[in-house]
Amino acid sequence: TLCLGSLLTTALWIIVDNSHIVPSGPPSPKKTPPWPSDLCKGCSSQLRSQCQGFDRAIITQANTPVGSSIVYAAEKKKTLKVTPGIFSTFIKENPFPKKKWDTCAVVGNSGILTNSSCGEMIDSAQLVIRCNLPSLGKGYEKHVGTKTDIVTANPSIMLKEYGGLMGPRRPFVESLHSYGKSMMVLSPFSYAHTTPVCLRAVYSIRDFESPIQPMFFNPDYFQSLALFWRSRGLSTGLLSTGLVMVNIALEHCANVHLYGFWPFSNHPFELNAVKNHYYDDKKGKWGVHSMPAEFDLLLRLHSQGVLKLHLGNCR
Ligand code: CDP
């Protein structure tokens, strides 16, 4: 295991702080936040009491009845009235069990995972969370693993790669096979124009009887997370998917391990070029996120022992 020791953390902190490493997305205008010294003491219980991801991270038929209004996370002036049709796409009850998981792995998509040999370690976690329908298999197994319990799906993937699901839907549903019976969390209520494609994704999954379990993020949860971290110094518009999933893991897991979080273009130890994703080099649209500031937060949480950030190779 090459997770960071405190010495490396300090060294890395200096590197990041001095901006010698260039973000692999567009430069962020935001400066490194002045974190409070006890940034998140008892982080899990604070998150549980203030953000309640346990009950509120996912829209369910129990927490969002027909007739209620959903406010879009990134377009606060837009709302959606829940009709019986929309309601029927919600899962019935909260998908998270009451018990806490012991070890969880949250896998970001950074190219830092390339040749990392972290697959086995990732798969050994009780719960594995992945982001934005990443490529699995195809020779990536050794470095990123194959186990998936929760996977998020950004609507832009359905819009760009599957024609907005307006044509044949089988290719999309077949692409989900590599995630097995996992929970698939879509984000239909951040931007109004993405709602229809997310609903079509649920219809397609049901029509083809795919074993994956689709569900929707609750935009209220994004709001309370943003407030939670803003009050601790993180000034960012929308939190990245990866950071949202880290927060969910912090509430539900005794030990949270992060892999593939490195939004910079050079490797921290080997200094070679690092792609934005381990499976492609598409640049992130980071205008709405503040990736280096988010990474800075993760690094702080690592040094406070709240979570374990893995940046080196696993063997
Ligand atoms: O589309 P988005 O930028 O949210 O995510 P992605 O590129 O599919 O990657 C998933 C998550 O991994 C992001 O939300 C980030 O939290 C993290 N990530 C990172 O830390 N460094 C990268 N170079 C790429 C992604």
Side-chain angles (χ1 to χ4, degrees):
T1 309
L2 268 184
C3 71
L4 290 178
S6 57
L7 197 64
L8 279 178
T9 309
T10 315
L12 194 63
W13 168 247
I14 293 165
I15 294 171
V16 174
D17 208 27
N18 287 339
S19 307
H20 288 143
I21 292 188
V22 182
S24 48
S28 161
K30 289 159 190 132
K31 288 227 157 42
T32 302
W35 304 112
S37 54
D38 58 344
L39 175 60
C40 198
K41 242 189 203 152
C43 209
S44 305
S45 55
Q46 281 186 33
L47 278 166
R48 268 199 297 276
S49 66
Q50 293 178 39
C51 299
Q52 297 162 20
F54 208 90
D55 285 326
R56 295 181 45 227
I58 304 296
I59 293 228
T60 65
Q61 293 191 345
N63 66 23
T64 312
V66 172
S68 49
S69 276
I70 296 176
V71 181
Y72 283 93
E75 300 172 314
K76 296 267 179 288
K77 289 190 184 140
K78 294 190 182 169
T79 56
L80 181 80
K81 237 257 168 339
V82 177
T83 61
I86 294 171
F87 183 76
S88 72
T89 62
F90 300 166
I91 53 161
K92 287 207 164 49
E93 282 164 9
N94 195 316
F96 300 126
K98 286 271 176 280
K99 74 170 175 77
K100 251 190 157 192
W101 285 289
D102 179 40
T103 307
C104 299
V106 186
V107 188
N109 289 333
S110 168
I112 199 174
L113 283 170
T114 303
N115 296 326
S116 67
S117 301
C118 287
E120 207 176 304
M121 198 185 261
I122 290 172
D123 282 353
S124 71
Q126 248 186 324
L127 184 90
V128 178
I129 302 176
R130 301 185 189 269
C131 303
N132 297 334
L133 302 178
S135 295
L136 295 179
K138 304 176 191 166
Y140 297 123
E141 300 88 334
K142 183 169 180 222
H143 309 295
V144 305
T146 53
K147 178 171 154 63
T148 308
D149 297 286
I150 305 180
V151 63
T152 67
N154 192 329
S156 67
I157 301 170
M158 277 97 73
L159 289 168
K160 287 187 194 143
E161 291 174 28
Y162 297 98
L165 301 178
M166 296 300 282
R169 294 160 188 205
R170 187 181 292 276
F172 167 67
V173 177
E174 284 182 352
S175 75
L176 304 176
H177 284 172
S178 52
Y179 313 108
K181 295 180 185 161
S182 62
M183 307 179 207
M184 168 174 152
V185 194
L186 294 137
S187 193
F189 307 121
S190 290
Y191 295 94
H193 76 275
T194 63
T195 307
V197 76
C198 291
L199 298 182
R200 286 197 288 277
V202 174
Y203 300 141
S204 312
I205 287 164
R206 288 184 181 168
D207 289 352
F208 284 92
E209 297 177 0
S210 165
I212 205 161
Q213 308 167 57
M215 58 194 73
F216 300 147
F217 273 126
N218 186 344
D220 285 355
Y221 176 64
F222 293 161
Q223 171 86 358
S224 41
L225 273 187
L227 286 175
F228 182 91
W229 288 113
R230 200 173 301 144
S231 69
R232 287 161 179 80
L234 180 71
S235 57
T236 171
L238 286 181
L239 302 189
S240 74
T241 313
L243 189 54
V244 171
M245 297 322 283
V246 169
N247 281 279
I248 289 182
L250 285 173
E251 276 197 34
H252 291 86
C253 313
N255 301 290
V256 176
H257 292 256
L258 308 192
Y259 303 84
F261 283 79
W262 181 252
F264 306 104
S265 55
N266 289 88
H267 195 282
F269 309 125
E270 291 147 27
L271 301 180
N272 55 302
V274 168
K275 292 192 293 182
N276 186 37
H277 294 149
Y278 67 83
Y279 48 86
D280 68 28
D281 201 16
K282 283 190 192 138
K283 298 286 171 232
K285 283 198 179 147
W286 292 352
V288 287
H289 308 310
S290 186
M291 292 294 205
E294 285 191 4
F295 180 80
D296 194 24
L297 168 65
L298 297 177
L299 200 54
R300 282 294 163 127
L301 294 176
H302 171 90
S303 58
Q304 293 190 357
V306 174
L307 48 76
K308 278 212 163 74
L309 188 54
H310 297 255
L311 296 176
N313 293 344
C314 293
R315 255 184 230 149

